[in-house]
Amino acid sequence: RVPWAADRWQVELLDAIDGGRGALVVAPTSAGKTFAAYYAMEKVLRSSNSGAVIFMSPTVALALQVESEVHARFRQKPYP
């Protein structure tokens, strides 16, 4: 699923996402949390018009960065 050797928590998280289960991620900077959020967004957007992914950011700057990235990644994709 990912092009690198995932840590155990990442594998467990991706398994939860793929299984349609919820998850809460608390991990240090650069641990892969944002990637996991994008992975979850992709899965939800491809399968539902009413599903949700909640991404909480510790700073406004990071929230704006993620918002911009989400818009760039997902605005042109055909979803249900």
Side-chain angles (χ1 to χ4, degrees):
R1 292 176 285 195
V2 294
W4 65 83
D7 293 336
R8 182 177 177 200
W9 75 266
Q10 292 169 323
V11 171
E12 291 173 3
L13 176 61
L14 297 178
D15 287 346
I17 294 168
D18 289 343
R21 297 183 309 275
L24 172 65
V25 177
V26 178
T29 300
S30 298
K33 299 178 300 293
T34 304
F35 165 79
Y38 294 145
Y39 184 89
M41 289 174 202
E42 178 81 21
K43 295 292 264 187
V44 167
L45 288 171
R46 289 209 179 275
S47 65
S48 171
N49 282 327
S50 60
V53 173
I54 298 171
F55 180 88
M56 298 196 58
S57 168
T59 66
V60 172
L62 179 57
L64 294 173
Q65 177 185 341
V66 170
E67 177 185 25
S68 176
E69 180 69 19
V70 166
H71 184 71
R73 283 181 184 229
F74 301 120
R75 71 177 173 186
Q76 298 297 324
K77 294 192 176 189
Y79 295 106

